[in-house]
Amino acid sequence: MIKVIIADDHAIVREGLKQILSDFSDMEVSGEAATGDEALKIIRTNGWDVLLLDIAMPGKNVLELIKLVKLDTPNKPILVLSMYPEDQYAIRVLRAGADGYLCKESVPEQLVEAIRKLAQGGKFVSASLAEQLVRNLHETESKPLHSLLTDREYQVFLAIARGERLTEIAKAMSLSIKTVSTYRTRLLGKMKMSSNAEIIRYAIENRLLNEGKGQGKK
């Protein structure tokens, strides 16, 4: 029996996932959470085999949450579910330690396949994302500038691109304004930019504005 924990802040999504899994005799839901903090509490108290984790939940940023889960349970797999396309953000989630990435638009059979594969110790990505990962491995030149950023710098970059103020970003990320300002300075240097206007223009031109939207809130 594969024991699954569902972490998603939308009750209707959790119910939908539970309904899908109830149709399979080798799976059961052993817990559910609506926030990152609840997810951490449940994984520490409930028995489980696979964590289904929404990419945008209240509380801790998904990248931080993945790392914390892996610190507590390094051998337990995490399947990230996202409403966003499989793009640069998906790769960052996998780099943070997730074992699979699946769009919520995927068919139920693909979700079940992913859970079973992770429970058996494997990894799961779609064919299109697998191709992208292979391309990234072989890229030696002409990498996009935003790929040079750390996870934190990239979060700040996206927030600035969406027009958020440093005070708003600091509050959402639970950081000081000074720390956020430091991240801004670093990312501007790495991307050879000098203003927020350049960040916004770059994000629009590279179609990045939907990535990570809603981290900490929706």
Side-chain angles (χ1 to χ4, degrees), residues 8-20:
D8 193 297
D9 62 329
H10 287 119
I12 193 169
V13 173
R14 296 197 303 274
E15 288 302 316
L17 292 171
K18 287 162 63 177
Q19 183 60 49
I20 291 172

Side-chain angles (χ1 to χ4, degrees), residues 63-93:
L63 300 177
E64 295 177 346
L65 185 55
I66 290 170
K67 292 173 183 177
L68 288 172
V69 172
K70 286 297 184 177
L71 281 175
D72 277 1
T73 53
N75 297 320
K76 294 290 184 72
I78 301 172
L79 176 62
V80 173
L81 301 179
S82 172
M83 59 184 287
Y84 305 120
E86 296 171 329
D87 45 27
Q88 184 66 27
Y89 203 81
I91 294 175
R92 288 177 180 274
V93 165

Side-chain angles (χ1 to χ4, degrees), residues 1-48:
M1 182 69 70
I2 302 173
K3 296 181 178 179
V4 180
I5 288 178
I6 299 173
D8 193 297
D9 62 329
H10 287 119
I12 193 169
V13 173
R14 296 197 303 274
E15 288 302 316
L17 292 171
K18 287 162 63 177
Q19 183 60 49
I20 291 172
L21 300 186
S22 69
D23 290 335
F24 298 88
S25 59
D26 62 334
M27 298 184 187
E28 69 174 10
V29 176
S30 63
E32 55 183 286
T35 68
D37 290 334
E38 286 181 11
L40 283 175
K41 182 178 180 180
I42 289 175
I43 68 166
R44 291 166 178 167
T45 57
N46 292 28
W48 61 283

Side-chain angles (χ1 to χ4, degrees), residues 86 101-102 106 110 113 117 124-135:
E86 296 171 329
Y101 186 96
L102 188 65
S106 303
Q110 196 170 29
E113 176 191 355
K117 190 168 185 179
F124 184 90
V125 294
S126 70
S128 60
L129 182 54
E131 289 179 6
Q132 184 177 341
L133 291 171
V134 171
R135 285 197 302 270

